[in-house]
Amino acid sequence: MFLSALLVATLATISQWWFFAPVTRCLTYPLTTGLLVGLFMGNPMLGMLSGATIQLVYLGWINTGGVMPSNTMVAGIFGTALTILSGASPTLAVTFAVPFSLIGLLMVEIYQSVNSFWVHRADAELARGNVKAIRFLNYVPSLIVAIIVYGIPAFCLVFFGRGWAQGMLNMIPKSLTTALEVVGALMPALGIAMLLNYLGKKSLIPYFFIGFFLTAYLKLQIMAIAIFAGLLAYLLYINQKANATKKDAEPTDKKVRRLTLQNRTGKQENASAALEPGTNIAQNISPLNYQIKLTHSDLVKTWLWEQSDEAAYNYERLQALGLTNMMIYPIKKLYPKERQADELKKYMVFFNTEPHMVGPVIHGIALSMEEARANGAEVSAEDINGVRTGLMGPAAGIGDTVQQGIIFPILASIGATMALDHNYFGPIMFTVVFELIIYAIGYWMFMYGYKKGKESVVSILKSGLLDKVTNAFSIVGLMVVGTMAATRVTIKTPLIWHVGQSVIKLQALFNQLAPSLIPLLATLLVWWLLRKKVNASIIVVGIFIVGILCSYLGILAVI
């Protein structure tokens, strides 16, 4: 048990201490950590089933701008561990995970607040010219805090918890256990409804119902729906692109509003002029004449260092310390020793963007500007930070939308469905494919930003390509989510009416109208509440209350 506790504690620690993103990225998801906790505790099947069940609740919980609506790391690891310790059914994993996720919000507040101290220490060390201290401050203090806040509680839970966890479960009356299983069966409606709230453009909502009814009536599997949705989205994308090309070819007298960015004086600039390659960057210096150049190997190493940009994530400056750590390698290549600390200071300002997929384009641009600056171009520190801060918002909007709102739910839905069908390939497929997609794109964006300079993001935004691609992926996502509503909100009604000599089963009537009608109605109700701005935490409490009451009253049961 000691080894199990130690392994789970390590997993809990690095689920928050993001020392290298390709290792830690998917440890924020219960679908991945559930299987790992199960392996560490000797029951991989129960761990996988518990993690997949928990993941369904958090399909639509999207973390943006440093704001975490619920701590899915704690929910997945602690909730799965407690399920295994108590020997409970996987359907009860959700009822264990939700309280842990709320406690986890306090844990992340402690973690990110304490990490703010290391930023000020880094400022002081750079003022002394001590560049080496940045590496230490980015990794070691935040690791210690993560061990204290996450690792030690996880170790204690696993090492000391088996006896009281099983005793707690034995103390719960059978009727309450059944009621909590109803709650667990209802909870996925929240995750699905949150995705609908996020993806649900009015023009695209019918695709949710298409996915639902294809599954409810034709019993199609989620992979079949995903393939069908992908082909349909591609055809619509091609058609949309063809129409746009035809429209562009038509003469028009309408004036087109051009993308603008704020310059560092607060005035609006035309984006294509403000970010034109060579403008105020290398006036009389061609990159071909650079005396100091970054090699492809230097760029790859810098991109790898960028994967630690959230190791010391903190409330005060968010990714600043991690990005300063990233820039140590290229700054040392570009500048003499006496300038290195001063050049790094510009990166110790507040910075936050989507870090893995689209955000790296900003760091590539910054590298191209640093290279020009090191070769004598009139590029100031304010120029570099002006571009960085001007682009971090658009990059975050694109990255979070595509990664967390589209790619993740599609892959997680497929992976969770496979896992709940007792297929170990589900969480493995999700983890591998998800990371391959986001880091392949992230690497390409990093290099694209460096090669194209400041025009790169603007060219993407002005092309209109993003909206077309986002709509295509949203169609796939909505159809997959429709399938989840039909198969993973596993509630029914056991109500029976006696009319004379006849027995009328209410569920049979609903099945004649539309199979899985009750799960659909539950999902739509939760979605309606979210659109009315009801807080998700209040909805969670409401699901607990309604689920328990309806179970005791014999209105709802688990399929």
Side-chain angles (χ1 to χ4, degrees):
M1 187 55 68
F2 177 83
L3 180 59
S4 295
L6 185 61
L7 290 171
V8 173
T10 302
L11 182 66
T13 298
I14 62 176
S15 73
Q16 177 61 74
W17 181 57
W18 300 324
F19 71 97
F20 188 66
V23 173
T24 61
R25 179 65 184 92
C26 283
L27 299 186
T28 60
Y29 297 126
L31 180 57
T32 300
T33 56
L35 177 58
L36 291 174
V37 170
L39 286 169
F40 296 158
M41 297 182 66
N43 196 336
M45 180 57 71
L46 180 55
M48 180 180 70
L49 294 173
S50 300
T53 303
I54 295 168
Q55 184 66 78
L56 295 180
V57 181
Y58 297 105
L59 278 177
W61 295 74
I62 296 172
N63 303 328
T64 57
V67 178
M68 184 176 289
S70 188
N71 196 323
T72 57
M73 295 95 76
V74 171
I77 295 171
F78 286 62
T80 299
L82 188 56
T83 303
I84 294 173
L85 287 170
S86 62
S89 165
T91 55
L92 288 177
V94 171
T95 62
F96 296 147
V98 169
F100 277 125
S101 73
L102 299 177
I103 296 171
L105 290 177
L106 175 62
M107 295 165 76
V108 79
E109 286 179 7
I110 294 171
Y111 178 78
Q112 293 183 187
S113 296
V114 174
N115 278 346
S116 299
F117 290 105
W118 323 135
V119 177
H120 296 284
R121 179 71 182 275
D123 287 335
E125 293 297 337
L126 285 178
R128 298 188 190 100
N130 186 3
V131 172
K132 291 182 180 179
I134 300 301
R135 291 259 194 263
F136 176 86
L137 290 170
N138 188 57
Y139 295 107
V140 178
S142 55
L143 169 61
I144 295 171
V145 178
I147 290 172
I148 294 171
V149 176
Y150 285 82
I152 293 176
F155 180 89
C156 293
L157 173 66
V158 176
F159 191 71
F160 299 108
R162 183 175 297 276
W164 67 262
Q166 292 177 341
M168 177 189 69
L169 188 66
N170 292 333
M171 290 174 60
I172 299 176
K174 177 62 177 177
S175 57
L176 181 56
T177 300
T178 302
L180 291 175
E181 288 178 348
V182 172
V183 171
L186 268 172
M187 276 293 179
L190 176 58
I192 295 166
M194 293 184 77
L195 279 175
L196 277 174
N197 206 38
Y198 192 77
L199 297 173
K201 293 181 182 179
K202 288 184 178 179
S203 60
L204 299 180
I205 285 299
Y207 292 102
F208 165 78
F209 291 99
I210 292 172
F212 177 87
F213 287 113
L214 282 175
T215 302
Y217 282 105
L218 301 181
K219 307 300 180 185
L220 293 181
Q221 299 296 316
I222 191 168
M223 189 61 74
I225 296 292
I227 294 170
F228 174 76
L231 293 172
L232 177 61
Y234 177 72
L235 291 174
L236 292 171
Y237 167 76
I238 294 297
N239 183 61
Q240 191 179 30
K241 190 176 179 181
N243 289 338
T245 303
K246 187 184 298 183
K247 188 175 181 180
D248 290 341
E250 295 175 357
T252 178
D253 296 327
K254 293 182 180 179
K255 292 184 178 180
V256 179
R257 292 184 63 187
R258 300 182 71 84
L259 179 68
T260 58
L261 295 174
Q262 288 249 333
N263 65 18
R264 67 178 184 276
T265 64
K267 296 179 181 179
Q268 294 288 329
E269 294 180 341
N270 181 280
S272 58
L275 301 185
E276 192 69 32
T279 302
N280 196 33
I281 283 194
Q283 295 171 346
N284 299 315
I285 301 176
S286 168
L288 296 175
N289 298 325
Y290 282 177
Q291 298 298 309
I292 310 169
K293 292 184 179 180
L294 294 171
T295 66
H296 181 72
S297 176
D298 295 333
L299 296 174
V300 172
K301 289 176 182 177
T302 304
W303 177 75
L304 289 172
W305 281 112
E306 189 263 333
Q307 305 311 315
S308 300
D309 64 348
E310 293 185 321
Y313 200 64
N314 61 88
Y315 279 131
E316 184 171 327
R317 298 188 216 172
L318 298 173
Q319 297 167 357
L321 182 54
L323 293 177
T324 306
N325 175 71
M326 173 194 75
M327 291 302 297
I328 290 175
Y329 182 82
I331 290 293
K332 284 185 173 181
K333 292 292 296 280
L334 293 171
Y335 298 100
K337 188 173 182 179
E338 60 271 15
R339 283 186 61 181
Q340 291 169 7
D342 285 335
E343 294 298 338
L344 283 171
K345 288 178 184 178
K346 72 174 82 73
Y347 294 95
M348 284 300 299
V349 298
F350 175 92
F351 191 89
N352 193 47
T353 194
E354 185 279 312
H356 305 128
M357 194 173 76
V358 176
V361 74
I362 302 174
H363 312 316
I365 294 169
L367 278 179
S368 70
M369 297 179 73
E370 285 287 5
E371 194 175 46
R373 176 176 166 85
N375 282 278
E378 294 181 17
V379 181
S380 68
E382 290 79 10
D383 288 328
I384 295 173
N385 273 337
V387 172
R388 292 173 72 237
T389 56
L391 293 177
M392 69 181 184
I398 298 169
D400 286 334
T401 298
V402 175
Q403 183 192 142
Q404 296 190 67
I406 298 175
I407 296 175
F408 162 70
I410 292 172
L411 293 175
S413 297
I414 296 171
T417 298
M418 295 173 71
L420 291 171
D421 289 336
H422 296 75
N423 188 341
Y424 286 114
F425 185 67
I428 296 171
M429 179 279 300
F430 160 73
T431 303
V432 172
V433 175
F434 182 68
E435 294 213 357
L436 280 176
I437 290 174
I438 62 174
Y439 291 111
I441 294 174
Y443 176 81
W444 182 85
M445 292 293 286
F446 184 89
M447 297 300 176
Y448 184 75
Y450 171 77
K451 292 174 183 176
K452 296 293 185 180
K454 294 189 293 182
E455 72 170 347
S456 52
V457 172
V458 174
S459 65
I460 294 172
L461 292 173
K462 289 173 66 178
S463 69
L465 176 66
L466 178 67
D467 286 337
K468 298 182 184 70
V469 172
T470 300
N471 280 343
F473 275 106
S474 295
I475 289 170
V476 179
L478 285 166
M479 290 184 67
V480 168
V481 168
T483 299
M484 299 298 290
T487 58
R488 297 306 168 191
V489 184
T490 53
I491 54 171
K492 65 176 182 179
T493 177
L495 288 174
I496 297 175
W497 293 337
H498 294 275
V499 181
Q501 300 297 318
S502 301
V503 176
I504 300 175
K505 295 182 178 180
L506 189 58
Q507 184 62 51
L509 291 178
F510 285 147
N511 289 341
Q512 291 176 2
L513 292 172
S516 302
L517 182 60
I518 295 179
L520 176 62
L521 293 175
T523 302
L524 294 178
L525 174 60
V526 176
W527 182 36
W528 178 80
L529 292 172
L530 289 171
R531 290 177 64 85
K532 292 296 182 180
K533 309 300 182 184
V534 178
N535 188 282
S537 297
I538 295 175
I539 295 176
V540 168
V541 174
I543 289 174
F544 267 91
I545 295 172
V546 170
I548 291 172
L549 284 177
C550 287
S551 177
Y552 274 104
L553 294 174
I555 298 173
L556 292 178
V558 177
I559 297 175

